[in-house]
């Protein structure tokens, strides 16, 4: 087991994150965009990703967004799509240092099913991948020895509780995690003793995209046509974005009080990259210290437990 690296992977729609504690902390985060690659001057890019798998050369992250041919964002729920696979292989290129890995992959609450696990195992379990880094010239061959799934927001909540200075107190409280992502916001609810409550956990179809859609509609009225990722990366529309994020925060806040009517007796965390955009958080929300990485960190924590005892999550 010591020669197998466990990795938590969060294939988000906005960003892809990977985290591992194998022989020290290994982590990566990059935009969930892939594009066909080519040789060029990479000196102006910070940590560019240009790799080749199965005879296909491609960029990932900002490099794909700015320079890639036919850039494609990871917009589907499917964690086995061609885009999702490329992002996963890029994570392995960035942080896998062992020749064999076991992966705990995050999925939304609505996808945490045996059928999802079956599809993911069919796509990845036992697969041998050879990855060539076309920037450094290095190459690595990795065997995915095992892969499983876990609810993304639950993983974030588990990590927040288990790494808190008030861990014992929180374990005896009702807790919640609000994870604001690109397209959706996940609400995860734990009863006392960290028991997951499915009936009080849900998904809101609101996220960073809601804000970008608002901005796009406003600028289209002025005759400007922009892709969502262009709006997201630009500072030209910050005043419109601020309005959008204020309204998104209000929407999330109202939904939390509507769904969790006992919110006053809860300890509620808030995470996700979009939460960094919120100013003046309502007092009920407790911001985590690593809002973008916490899901991948939690998935790694779950993976260390699950793969050590040999039990599946589903």
């Amino acid at each position: 087991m010591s020669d197998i690296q466990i990795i938590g992977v969060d294939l988000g729609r906005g960003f892809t994150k990977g985290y591992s504690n194998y022989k020290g902390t290994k982590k990566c985060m990059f935009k969930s965009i892939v594009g066909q690659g080519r040789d060029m001057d990479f000196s102006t890019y910070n940590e560019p990703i240009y790799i080749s798998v199965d005879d296909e050369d491609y960029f990932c992250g900002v490099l794909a967004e700015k320079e890639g041919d036919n850039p494609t964002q990871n917009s589907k729920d499917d964690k086995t799509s061609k885009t999702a696979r490329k992002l996963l292989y890029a994570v392995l290129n960035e942080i896998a240092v062992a020749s064999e890995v076991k992966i705990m992959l995050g999925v939304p609450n609505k996808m945490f099913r045996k059928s999802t696990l079956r599809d993911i195992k069919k796509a990845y379990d036992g697969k041998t991948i050879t990855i060539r880094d076309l920037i450094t010239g290095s190459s690595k061959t990795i065997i995915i020895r095992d892969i499983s799934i876990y609810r993304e927001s639950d993983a974030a909540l588990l990590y927040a509780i288990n790494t808190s200075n008030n861990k014992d107190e929180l374990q005896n409280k009702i807790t919640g995690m609000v994870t604001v992502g690109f397209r959706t916001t996940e609400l995860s609810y734990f009863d006392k003793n960290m028991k997951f409550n499915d009936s009080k956990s849900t998904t809101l179809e609101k996220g960073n995209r809601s804000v970008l859609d608002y901005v796009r509609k406003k600028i289209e009225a002025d005759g400007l046509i922009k892709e969502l990722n262009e709006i997201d990366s630009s500072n030209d529309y910050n005043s419109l974005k601020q309005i959008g994020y204020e309204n998104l925060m209000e929407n999330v806040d109202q939904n939390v009080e509507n769904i969790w009517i006992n919110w006053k007796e809860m300890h509620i965390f808030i995470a996700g990259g979009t939460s960094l955009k919120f100013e003046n958080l309502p007092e009920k929300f407790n911001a985590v210290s690593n809002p973008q990485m916490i899901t991948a960190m939690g998935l790694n924590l779950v993976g260390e437990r699950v793969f050590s005892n040999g039990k599946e999550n589903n």
Side-chain angles (χ1 to χ4, degrees):
M1 184 68 186
S2 60
D3 293 325
I4 298 178
Q5 181 179 0
I6 294 171
I7 302 176
V9 179
D10 177 14
L11 298 179
R13 296 186 181 93
F15 284 82
T16 291
K17 286 82 68 176
Y19 190 87
S20 176
N21 284 320
Y22 181 82
K23 296 183 178 180
T25 299
K26 311 286 189 301
K27 60 183 178 179
C28 66
M29 180 173 67
F30 50 89
K31 281 194 170 185
S32 296
I33 302 175
V34 300
Q36 294 163 263
R38 67 185 184 281
D39 290 330
M40 54 172 284
D41 179 8
F42 301 107
S43 61
T44 59
Y45 288 92
N46 184 34
E47 299 180 345
I49 301 173
Y50 180 26
I51 61 177
S52 179
V53 180
D54 296 332
D55 296 321
E56 184 174 359
D57 307 342
Y58 61 93
F59 295 154
C60 283
V62 172
L63 190 60
E65 180 183 42
K66 301 294 186 182
E67 303 285 356
D69 293 320
N70 192 29
T72 304
Q73 186 162 2
N74 184 41
S75 299
K76 298 170 66 175
D77 286 332
D78 184 8
K79 303 297 184 182
T80 65
S81 69
K82 188 172 183 178
T83 297
R85 293 184 195 219
K86 289 180 177 180
L87 294 170
L88 177 60
Y89 300 156
V91 169
L92 295 180
N93 184 65
E94 292 294 296
I95 67 173
V97 294
S99 59
E100 298 184 16
V101 301
K102 292 186 176 182
I103 298 169
M104 185 58 67
L105 185 63
V107 297
N109 184 43
K110 64 182 179 180
M111 288 182 62
F112 190 65
R113 302 187 298 264
K114 288 184 178 179
S115 58
T116 301
L117 178 61
R118 184 173 58 248
D119 291 343
I120 285 172
K121 280 188 170 293
K122 182 179 179 180
Y124 301 116
D125 200 5
K127 185 177 178 66
T128 299
I129 307 122
T130 297
I131 307 169
R132 289 192 299 124
D133 190 315
L134 298 176
I135 295 178
T136 66
S138 63
S139 179
K140 61 177 70 173
T141 297
I142 300 166
I143 301 172
I144 300 178
R145 189 57 68 191
D146 199 357
I147 188 167
S148 193
I149 61 173
Y150 200 75
R151 292 177 293 262
E152 294 161 340
S153 195
D154 286 19
L157 182 52
L158 283 169
Y159 189 87
I161 293 173
N162 279 281
T163 58
S164 171
N165 293 329
N166 302 315
K167 176 181 175 180
D168 293 338
E169 178 184 342
L170 289 173
Q171 287 178 337
N172 291 305
K173 287 181 68 73
I174 300 172
T175 54
M177 173 64 77
V178 178
T179 308
V180 190
F182 183 78
R183 199 178 78 187
T184 60
T185 295
E186 297 278 335
L187 273 60
S188 182
Y189 185 104
F190 281 9
D191 285 315
K192 292 180 180 179
N193 299 315
M194 298 176 66
K195 184 178 180 181
F196 174 69
N197 189 319
D198 184 66
S199 66
K200 294 185 178 181
S201 300
T202 190
T203 302
L204 307 176
E205 296 296 328
K206 294 286 183 180
N208 192 48
R209 178 167 183 154
S210 307
V211 175
L212 302 181
D213 280 335
Y214 161 73
V215 175
R216 181 163 65 177
K217 289 175 184 177
K218 294 290 287 185
I219 65 175
E220 281 181 352
D222 295 327
L224 297 175
I225 306 298
K226 296 287 183 180
E227 297 291 338
L228 293 183
N229 62 292
E230 292 180 286
I231 296 171
D232 196 23
S233 301
S234 175
N235 292 321
D236 294 340
Y237 317 109
N238 285 350
S239 59
L240 289 174
K241 288 180 184 178
Q242 182 178 358
I243 294 171
Y245 288 121
E246 288 175 356
N247 281 278
L248 176 59
M249 180 69 261
E250 174 68 12
N251 184 282
V252 170
D253 190 21
Q254 293 279 355
N255 272 286
V256 165
E257 290 201 15
N258 182 50
I259 295 167
W260 294 340
I261 58 175
N262 61 332
W263 63 270
K264 289 184 179 180
E265 61 180 307
M266 298 175 63
H267 187 97
I268 303 173
F269 295 98
I270 189 166
T274 304
S275 70
L276 292 169
K277 311 285 188 175
F278 297 153
E279 299 179 0
N280 304 316
L281 279 174
E283 290 186 3
K284 66 169 66 66
F285 296 111
N286 298 274
V288 300
S289 58
N290 294 286
Q292 286 185 285
M293 285 297 300
I294 193 169
T295 297
M297 296 164 83
L299 290 166
N300 180 73
L301 176 65
V302 174
E304 289 175 344
R305 295 178 177 181
V306 170
F307 294 131
S308 294
N309 63 31
K311 294 180 180 179
E312 289 290 357
N313 280 307
N314 226 19

